[in-house]
């Protein structure tokens, strides 16, 4: 491995910050290590642990002289990391990588031992490592023995940290809470954890060190021959193969023995099993590679490798520079932890209508195979081909199932004395659910009659400029008469507004777009390519799938699709694929957008009228407590001062009201006199709410702004309000409902206090313990004094 300045700097910083966090005496302290794919993250983490062991023993500023380590990785990546570290530590006796069955479980993790753990083996309670048995201890018992009996701090390494932000993030937290490590080193090219302790390797440094390619080019050398009978998929395969061959020739000209690899990824899907789209594209790829005499790439001749669910071949040794495999066909699973520096070209078949792909997948083709840049610049670039049909393309950090792409998580403070409060949430009853019913067909037909009959429709949806442009189109030819007078009349009317004689539908794909492998949105130039019948069917389904979001998803796409095609057949005598072409034609698309959206809006109003008088919501009571964790949107929240907040860190809403900001600052200034305080959310069933009757005499929910626990054990429920024009119109109803609620709960043995709270001109925070009829009259209100609470 090259001796690189950025790696030395990162290792030294990792060691220093880990020791700082260990010296704090706290647990669950987080250190984020962010470095681009191809920078050598595992190598740097490996060296950092080795130097940490030495530093703990030799440095005088260290609280501990020894430590134990646990290395978590998702899927089977822990095996890859284990192998790398065993090789790296062969000559270093101070560190010893071990697997679970190699560990002396009766004694815990010994000083310098690194226990490698597959995350999926512990994130369920019934997994072997998560439960006690006669033959083995659980990882939690092993961690306890390490801490309590051996007196060692535990440093946890979380490899590919972004993968832990999945739908099981709550379980991830529970596992780490039970292990209770002193420090967590979270490693990823695209980390999601937010902390004040970060070590960042910049992409620029890695490029300058010639470890990764200079840039990525999207769809280079795309040329469209209008007489070409190949499908778009076949055209992309052919172009990607030509690029791979160009690179092979360039390596050969330089005398470098590297056989560049083309990666072909099936549509990105969360399912491991093959979908119908996967199967169809896989067969297209195999058939084209095999049948084309120019390439003749097959599994049998060793030039095609396959990594799919239930089908794997020619994979051993594929990462060797001169391996004979030229093409690898795979799904998403290969993207994590797979290292093949000769991979140079990537063809990604995307889900239709998707405008995104990710740095995690693109990163597979960024490695420089010999860790140097070549004098032929064509070898210093990564090449991506894709069928994305968008004017703008978004490059995402990763494609894992995150809780939220811009999520920030706050965690409940350790040993927090929680509360149980009666709360209420609302849900829509079945009668009020927005199903798209069969009666939508009639609405769509009625709207279509208005829409196309522009002679009788005074408020035309189309301008005279649009009509004139259509009539002046040299390529426009009206459809012939059918002999059905009604259909012929409808055609003549409709042809004044839309094209009915659509012969082909084009795909518009990006061409020759240059970018760095980081989060960004690209404006692209596009070229057109005629779609096949199969592609038209998929695009049409994807188009309809984007309609009717105000209705429940079940059956929605099928209904809109079938009724729209029936309408086109009944009115214009155009059927199936030809009807889909009419809808998808670029000049028609916006007009069908308006027709469908208008019909859906009309139907929604009719449903609302039909359900008038029925209860809009059901109210459900439940026991609320401060949650273990809460997900915030980092686009709308920011970290703020809040050491006494029940969840840490404290995330404050960017558009929080001035009274909320001032009261949060007031509480924090008096944090020594309070046990904790909590800023509640303002909607959703997960947040604390009580019922009240609003001015329209309807039952509604009131989300109390602040829940506070005083050191005396008293619980205060406060809702901050402004004055004058800033005063909530429902403030009296909310306050009185809260006073009644407190009285009812205290009768059951609770110790609750509070109400609406406001700041006066002297800076005092006042609240009233009794019902009010005027929120501006503060004469009988009480000063809230945290020191006396």
């Amino acid at each position: 491995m090259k001796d690189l300045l950025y790696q030395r700097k990162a290792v030294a910083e990792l060691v220093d910050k880990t020791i700082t966090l260990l010296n704090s005496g706290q647990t669950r302290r987080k250190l984020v290590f962010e470095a681009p794919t191809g920078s050598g993250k595992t190598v740097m983490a490996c060296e950092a642990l080795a130097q940490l062991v030495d530093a703990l023993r030799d440095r005088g500023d260290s609280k501990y002289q020894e430590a134990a380590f646990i290395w978590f990785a998702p899927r089977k990546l822990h095996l890859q990391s284990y192998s790398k570290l065993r090789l790296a530590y062969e000559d270093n006796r101070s560190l010893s990588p071990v697997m679970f069955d190699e560990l002396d479980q009766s004694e815990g993790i010994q000083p310098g031992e690194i226990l490698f753990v597959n995350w999926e083996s512990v994130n369920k309670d019934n997994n072997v490592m998560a439960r006690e048995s006669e033959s083995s201890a659980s990882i939690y018992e092993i961690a306890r023995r390490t801490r309590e009996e051996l007196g060692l701090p535990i440093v946890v390494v979380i490899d590919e940290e972004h993968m832990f932000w999945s739908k099981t993030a709550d379980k991830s937290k529970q596992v780490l809470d039970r292990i209770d490590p002193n420090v967590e080193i979270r490693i990823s090219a695209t980390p999601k954890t937010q902390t004040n302790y970060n070590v960042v390797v910049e992409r620029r440094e890695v490029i300058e060190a010639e470890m990764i390619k200079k840039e990525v080019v999207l769809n280079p050398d795309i040329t469209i021959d209008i007489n070409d009978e190949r499908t778009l998929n076949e055209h992309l395969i052919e172009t990607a193969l030509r690029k791979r061959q160009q690179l092979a020739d360039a390596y050969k000209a330089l005398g470098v023995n590297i056989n560049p690899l083309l990666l072909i990824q099936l549509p990105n899907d969360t399912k491991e099993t093959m979908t119908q789209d996967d199967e169809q594209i896989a067969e297209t790829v195999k058939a084209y590679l095999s049948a084309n005499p120019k390439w003749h790439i097959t599994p049998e001749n060793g030039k095609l490798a396959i990594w799919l669910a239930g089908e794997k071949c020619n994979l051993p040794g594929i990462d060797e520079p001169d391996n004979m495999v030229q093409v690898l066909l795979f799904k998403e699973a290969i993207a994590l932890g797979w290292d093949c520096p000769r991979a140079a070209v990537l063809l990604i078949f995307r889900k239709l209508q998707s405008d995104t792909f990710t740095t995690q997948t693109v990163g597979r083709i960024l490695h420089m195979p010999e860790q140097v840049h070549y004098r032929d610049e064509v070898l210093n670039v990564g090449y991506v081909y894709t069928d994305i049909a968008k004017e703008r393309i978004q490059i995402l950090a990763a494609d894992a199932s995150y809780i939220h792409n811009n999520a920030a998580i706050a965690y409940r403070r350790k040993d927090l004395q929680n509360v149980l409060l009666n709360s209420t949430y609302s849900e829509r009853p079945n009668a009020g659910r927005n199903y798209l019913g069969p009666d939508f067909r009639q609405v769509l037909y009625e709207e279509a009659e208005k829409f196309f009959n522009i002679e009788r429709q005074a408020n035309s949806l189309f301008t005279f400029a649009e009509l004139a442009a259509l009539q002046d189109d040299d390529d426009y030819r009206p459809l012939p008469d059918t002999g059905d007078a009604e259909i012929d009349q409808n055609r003549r009317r409709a042809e004044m507004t839309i094209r009915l004689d659509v012969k082909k539908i084009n795909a518009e794909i990006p061409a020759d777009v240059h970018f760095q492998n980081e989060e960004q949105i690209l404006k692209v130039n596009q070229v057109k390519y005629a779609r096949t019948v199969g592609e038209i069917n998929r695009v049409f389904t994807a188009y309809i799938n984007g309609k009717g979001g105000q209705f429940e998803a079940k059956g929605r796409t099928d209904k809109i699709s079938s009724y729209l095609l029936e309408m086109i057949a009944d009115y214009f005598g155009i059927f199936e694929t030809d009807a889909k072409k009419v809808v998808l034609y670029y000049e028609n698309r916006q007009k069908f957008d308006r027709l469908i959206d208008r019909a859906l809006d009309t139907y929604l109003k009719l449903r609302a009228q039909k359900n008038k008088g029925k209860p809009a919501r059901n109210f459900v009571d439940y026991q609320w407590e401060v949650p273990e964790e809460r997900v915030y949107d980092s686009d709308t929240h920011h970290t703020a001062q809040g050491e006494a907040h029940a969840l840490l860190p404290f995330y404050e809403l960017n558009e929080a009201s001035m009274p909320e900001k001032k009261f949060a600052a007031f509480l924090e200034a008096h944090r020594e006199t309070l046990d904790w305080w909590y800023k509640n959310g303002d909607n959703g069933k997960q947040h604390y709410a009580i019922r009240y009757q609003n001015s329209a005499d309807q039952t509604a929910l009131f989300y109390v702004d602040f829940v506070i626990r005083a050191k005396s054990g008293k619980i205060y429920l406060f809702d901050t309000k402004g004055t004058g024009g800033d005063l909530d119109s429902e403030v009296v109803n909310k306050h009185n409902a809260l006073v009644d609620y407190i009285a009812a709960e205290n009768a059951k043995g609770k110790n609750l206090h509070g109400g609406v709270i406001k700041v006066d001109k002297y800076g005092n925070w006042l609240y009233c313990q009794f019902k009010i009829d005027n929120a501006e009259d503060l004469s009988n209100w009480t000063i809230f004094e945290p020191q006396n609470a």
Side-chain angles (χ1 to χ4, degrees), residues 95 370 382 406 470 496 518 534 595 649 689 707 744:
L95 276 169
E370 296 182 303
N406 297 306
L470 186 57
M496 298 297 290
E518 55 191 19
L595 169 60
V707 180

Side-chain angles (χ1 to χ4, degrees), residues 89 147 199 203 214 230 236 331 335 467 536 552 598 602 716 746 749:
Y89 294 144
R147 287 192 313 270
V199 176
R203 183 177 308 281
K214 295 181 178 180
R230 292 172 300 183
L236 289 170
K331 267 181 72 78
L467 302 180
I536 288 171
E552 294 197 10
R598 177 168 291 192
T602 300
Y716 288 86
N746 287 345

Side-chain angles (χ1 to χ4, degrees), residues 147-174:
R147 287 192 313 270
E148 298 179 8
E149 297 176 12
L150 299 180
L152 295 176
I154 296 176
V155 175
V156 162
V157 176
I158 302 176
D159 203 358
E160 299 293 350
E161 176 266 359
H162 62 276
M163 297 295 292
F164 289 71
W165 287 65
S166 66
K167 295 176 181 178
T168 59
D170 55 341
K171 188 62 181 178
S172 302
K173 179 185 179 301
Q174 291 174 24

